[in-house]
Amino acid sequence: MDNKIRVVQYGLGPIGKKITQYLLERDSVRIVGAIDSDPAKLGLDIGELAGSPVPYGVCITDNPKTLLSKVDADIVVLTTTSSLENIKSQIIEIVSFGINIVSTCEELSHPWLTNPEIADEIDVAAKMNDVSVLATGINPGFLMDFLPLVMTGICRNVKKVTVERIQNAQFRRKPFQKKIGAGLTVEQFNDKVKEGTLRHVGLTESIHMIGHKIGWKLEKTEDIINPIIATDKVVTTDLTIEPGKVRGVSQIGRGYVESREVITLVFKASIGEPDPHDRIIIEGTPDIDMTIKDGINGDIATCAITVNAIPAVIKAPAGLRTMSNIETISYSC
């Protein structure tokens, strides 16, 4: 029992609940605390919330300070928000107790260029408390940044990196379908884009991770968002999308060196997308063109890589880490 990794699950929305299920499967892990701000979840047993047939013996609290001061935790799995600004105070509080963090916060995946002040604040706080902080997931964190970087390792030279992540969202959870604007009018979609509430978070961070690791000094980046419009009626379990309404999002990120486009990231997610796949194209010596047919399920992969990253984060040097400067993450039981 003493050799088990002691974990606190912080955030129990859809991803946090699924991560909890994965944690409960691991013999090497023991959950010692659970935190969420939803009043409906307070006092519930984390095992029952995650669908376990028997209680686990850890109840959910909304008081992180009190919990973290009492438990002897090795790491917090932080799944509360995509926003770096909103998650900063949570991170600073957790590391003040000398506890490592692995998070699914997209904007934390490579914030050194997009938000250097917060990145530096988190890095300094983590080093002062001798702990490490990592954000990961399927995207950002793997398919559109780390995996293409790994593939460049067999290249003599690289001229351009292109990544496509094309997803059929028809069978994804309802919150994801709403996140991509499915069912909205074009006007509603564009309003949400202007508000900053409709976008795939992390595309720019992925561009910077690739550029930084390769050594390209990017002079500018772009992040262009457009709706994918239904031409026929589309019916799902939760939605009916009439022709002319939005069935998803197309988002293209670009990075430039000396006016030359060296990184292109294509993200498409829509209801009824006809050719789902993940594809990496590297123009160099040798050229590489690798496709994962049907693509990777984002929810399963995000939860899995977050759990699998736990041992590497605990062993990592203190500070704010990224997927490009941490030891290789793999499945471990």
Side-chain angles (χ1 to χ4, degrees):
M1 187 70 71
D2 290 342
N3 293 328
K4 290 181 179 284
I5 297 172
R6 300 176 297 275
V7 177
V8 172
Q9 176 61 48
Y10 192 156
L12 285 156
I15 292 297
K17 284 173 62 176
K18 186 177 284 289
I19 285 175
T20 299
Q21 293 170 356
Y22 292 14
L23 290 170
L24 293 174
E25 298 171 355
R26 302 293 174 100
D27 293 335
S28 59
V29 168
R30 179 170 181 79
I31 302 173
V32 296
I35 304 166
D36 197 272
S37 61
D38 183 356
K41 296 172 184 172
L42 300 185
L44 295 179
D45 184 274
I46 193 172
E48 293 176 316
L49 185 70
S52 174
V54 294
Y56 187 76
V58 172
C59 293
I60 300 165
T61 179
D62 63 352
N63 192 327
K65 186 174 182 179
T66 298
L67 175 68
L68 296 174
S69 66
K70 289 181 179 179
V71 299
D72 182 17
D74 299 303
I75 193 164
V76 168
V77 177
L78 185 59
T79 57
T80 54
T81 178
S82 298
S83 166
L84 185 60
E85 183 70 41
N86 292 338
I87 207 171
K88 182 189 76 170
S89 61
Q90 296 172 350
I91 293 172
I92 298 299
E93 181 175 62
I94 294 165
V95 300
S96 73
F97 290 97
I99 304 174
N100 302 285
I101 298 172
V102 59
S103 176
T104 56
C105 175
E106 291 94 334
E107 290 186 350
L108 183 64
S109 63
H110 197 282
W112 297 104
L113 295 171
T114 53
N115 207 321
E117 290 184 5
I118 294 180
D120 188 60
E121 186 177 351
I122 292 171
D123 185 52
V124 169
K127 287 175 178 174
M128 285 179 60
N129 291 281
D130 196 28
V131 293
S132 61
V133 177
L134 174 75
T136 190
I138 191 62
N139 180 35
F142 189 76
L143 275 176
M144 298 190 83
D145 38 44
F146 179 73
L147 185 56
L149 280 172
V150 170
M151 297 307 297
T152 66
I154 56 172
C155 293
R156 180 180 182 182
N157 58 64
V158 175
K159 299 175 183 176
K160 185 178 181 182
V161 175
T162 300
V163 186
E164 299 173 356
R165 179 149 170 77
I166 314 298
Q167 301 177 81
N168 181 2
Q170 186 154 352
F171 305 106
R172 295 290 297 274
R173 53 192 167 87
K174 189 176 180 180
F176 181 82
Q177 294 177 345
K178 286 187 173 182
K179 182 179 177 181
I180 63 172
L184 298 178
T185 65
V186 174
E187 184 179 6
Q188 290 170 329
F189 180 98
N190 290 332
D191 286 344
K192 286 184 175 293
V193 170
K194 289 177 183 176
E195 294 167 2
T197 57
L198 197 158
R199 66 187 179 102
H200 169 67
V201 182
L203 213 60
T204 300
E205 285 75 10
S206 292
I207 291 170
H208 284 305
M209 187 185 297
I210 293 171
H212 176 77
K213 189 66 174 179
I214 289 178
W216 287 330
K217 294 183 179 180
L218 302 177
E219 62 192 31
K220 71 170 183 174
T221 63
E222 295 177 339
D223 192 345
I224 300 168
I225 306 172
N226 288 299
I228 298 174
I229 310 300
T231 55
D232 300 301
K233 185 175 181 178
V234 181
V235 179
T236 74
T237 304
D238 300 304
L239 293 170
T240 297
I241 304 172
E242 300 292 342
K245 287 195 173 182
V246 175
R247 62 181 178 91
V249 64
S250 171
Q251 191 165 338
I252 300 177
R254 296 185 175 96
Y256 295 87
V257 173
E258 297 178 352
S259 302
R260 181 171 60 91
E261 187 175 338
V262 295
I263 301 170
T264 304
L265 304 184
V266 179
F267 177 89
K268 288 185 180 180
S270 71
I271 307 297
E273 187 65 39
D275 180 27
H277 64 268
D278 292 303
R279 184 182 183 193
I280 296 169
I281 306 165
I282 298 171
E283 297 174 30
T285 308
D287 290 331
I288 296 171
D289 190 339
M290 182 180 77
T291 299
I292 301 173
K293 188 177 180 293
D294 298 326
I296 300 293
N297 182 290
D299 290 349
I300 294 173
T302 290
C303 296
I305 197 170
T306 303
V307 172
N308 290 332
I310 287 173
V313 174
I314 292 173
K315 291 187 289 183
L320 176 57
R321 319 308 299 172
T322 75
M323 286 293 289
S324 63
N325 64 14
I326 199 167
E327 75 171 44
T328 303
I329 292 168
S330 67
Y331 171 78
S332 61
C333 57

